[in-house]
Amino acid sequence: MTQVEIGRGKNGRRAYALDEIGIVPSRRTRDPEEVSIAWQIDAYRFELPVVVSPMDSVVSPRTAIEVGRLGGLAVLDLEGLWTRYEDPTPLLAEVAELKGEAATKRLQEIYDAPIKDELIGRRIEEIRAAGVTTAVRLSPQRTVQHHKAVIDAGVDIFVIRGTTVSAEHVSGRAEPLNLKQFIYELDVPVIVGGCATYTAALHLMRTGAAGVLVGFGGGASHTTRTVLGVVVPMATAISDVAAARRDYMDESGGRYVHVIADGGMGTSGDIAKAIACGADAVMVGSPLARAVEAPGHGFHWGSEAQHPELPRGKRVEFGTVGTLEQILHGPSSVADGSMNLMGALKRTMATAGYSDLKEFQRVEVVVAPYTS
């Protein structure tokens, strides 16, 4: 590992973003139609390695159902507007009309309404009734308070997601969530994160999680780097966590924990490179915020944007480019990697000569700094 001297008193490891690496084709190619991009976590199989990020600008009960129908998995944010209001659609429309910094203040106001357990149950039941896999998200801070309503409603996959989630949270104010005990007592697979280092991922895997989120989420709408100074380039983070998965398999006698890259993937090329670095699937928000069905009306924001004391995200305008189906499956009418994401992934794998995702994780990559 390359250590760089930052100054006489501090060294740092050189890390790489997805923009800085490239995928190397092998000696053979394949027909894209013969490539499988399916994956499975616990008992649930998906035809697409796409998990849609729990953001109100992207996931509503209706879009969760549509993504499930298209072969992916969408995660509903149970700390969002859909569990605070009977009908949040007028508020979503209002947010889309706000100007500049007024958006952050208004987001803080409308997210100040309390979360209602009865609405948690109703939203989960609404998605389940459509016959698709149901996944929901709570932060570690809210999990103890609301998890019973989630389990009683019959959720399929439980996501515990924060900016940074650790297995060893220390607090002098309140008893922290004991992830190992909590996951052991649940009857559903749990995905936890984010994390960005080998050691943090290994500890999360030891809690019994079915999947680990790599990264700090948010991507284009995230300002954690600016506000907190916290950032780990995704190519390095994914590779480190994939190494933790390999070592945990040896340690546990073969238990496989899925690695899901979370955030910073705005194009089809980013998705392919995340999987090449070792991810089993990707969690994306901004690519699907451009869908005409997205509840954000062409705007995108995450849960960090409405923090009452220290917002670490912002509302970003993307506009719309097509339907959810066009963005995921095409056809594409643009050449910037924003549409037909899964068709592009299949073509990348076929060009490199790989037939499924597990094989493709072994593809050769090179350091190739991006130049415009």
Side-chain angles (χ1 to χ4, degrees), residues 60-80:
S60 66
R62 186 168 73 90
T63 57
I65 292 167
E66 178 64 5
V67 169
R69 185 185 70 79
L70 293 170
L73 175 69
V75 183
L76 185 70
D77 185 9
L78 295 185
E79 297 176 30

Side-chain angles (χ1 to χ4, degrees), residues 321-346:
V321 296
T323 65
L324 282 169
E325 184 163 9
Q326 288 173 318
I327 291 171
L328 288 172
H329 293 298
S332 174
S333 57
V334 294
D336 60 4
S338 65
M339 297 182 73
N340 197 5
L341 303 179
M342 297 299 98
L345 175 60
K346 283 186 174 184

Side-chain angles (χ1 to χ4, degrees), residues 94-113:
E94 178 190 346
V95 170
E97 296 296 325
L98 295 172
K99 305 296 182 184
E101 291 303 315
T104 298
K105 185 174 187 300
R106 182 58 178 145
L107 284 171
Q108 290 174 315
E109 292 170 353
I110 64 177
Y111 279 91
D112 192 45

Side-chain angles (χ1 to χ4, degrees), residues 60-335:
S60 66
R62 186 168 73 90
T63 57
I65 292 167
E66 178 64 5
V67 169
R69 185 185 70 79
L70 293 170
L73 175 69
V75 183
L76 185 70
D77 185 9
L78 295 185
E79 297 176 30
L81 299 179
W82 293 94
T83 57
R84 298 174 191 264
Y85 299 92
E86 291 280 345
D87 179 14
T89 51
L91 292 170
L92 291 163
E94 178 190 346
V95 170
E97 296 296 325
L98 295 172
K99 305 296 182 184
E101 291 303 315
T104 298
K105 185 174 187 300
R106 182 58 178 145
L107 284 171
Q108 290 174 315
E109 292 170 353
I110 64 177
Y111 279 91
D112 192 45
I115 298 167
K116 302 178 177 67
D117 279 354
E118 62 270 22
L119 286 178
I120 288 177
R122 192 183 309 170
R123 302 311 184 200
I124 292 172
E125 290 165 7
E126 187 178 341
I127 299 170
R128 278 180 59 84
V132 301
T133 303
T134 307
V136 298
R137 171 262 179 187
L138 285 171
S139 65
Q141 296 85 352
R142 303 264 195 177
T143 294
V144 172
Q145 182 181 357
H146 296 293
H147 79 275
K148 189 174 186 304
V150 174
I151 301 303
D152 288 348
V155 76
D156 295 314
I157 297 175
F158 196 163
V159 178
I160 301 174
R161 179 180 185 260
T163 300
T164 303
V165 177
S166 75
E168 299 182 13
H169 181 66
V170 178
S171 174
R173 297 183 303 163
E175 183 68 26
L177 175 66
N178 184 328
L179 275 175
K180 190 168 188 178
Q181 179 182 345
F182 179 78
I183 291 173
Y184 178 78
E185 292 174 353
L186 289 183
D187 251 350
V188 300
V190 178
I191 297 171
V192 297
C195 69
T197 66
Y198 172 95
T199 302
L202 194 57
H203 281 284
L204 288 178
M205 291 172 186
R206 289 169 178 161
T207 66
V212 170
L213 298 171
V214 185
F216 302 124
S221 66
H222 214 294
T223 59
T224 295
R225 178 172 187 160
T226 303
V227 178
L228 300 184
V230 174
V231 60
V232 179
M234 282 295 283
T236 296
I238 297 165
S239 301
D240 284 350
V241 175
R245 174 185 60 204
R246 179 198 60 215
D247 292 348
Y248 178 70
M249 282 185 69
D250 292 339
E251 172 189 307
S252 63
R255 183 172 182 270
Y256 189 91
V257 179
H258 291 80
V259 172
I260 303 169
D262 180 11
M265 287 160 290
T267 66
S268 53
D270 294 332
I271 292 171
K273 287 188 278 188
I275 294 172
C277 286
D280 297 288
V282 297
M283 178 173 274
V284 296
S286 59
L288 299 182
R290 296 180 172 94
V292 294
E293 303 97 325
H297 302 280
F299 287 85
H300 185 45
W301 65 92
S303 59
E304 301 83 7
Q306 67 265 12
H307 193 282
E309 299 167 0
L310 189 65
R312 301 180 305 283
K314 59 185 178 181
R315 187 199 60 163
V316 180
E317 184 174 6
F318 282 118
T320 56
V321 296
T323 65
L324 282 169
E325 184 163 9
Q326 288 173 318
I327 291 171
L328 288 172
H329 293 298
S332 174
S333 57
V334 294

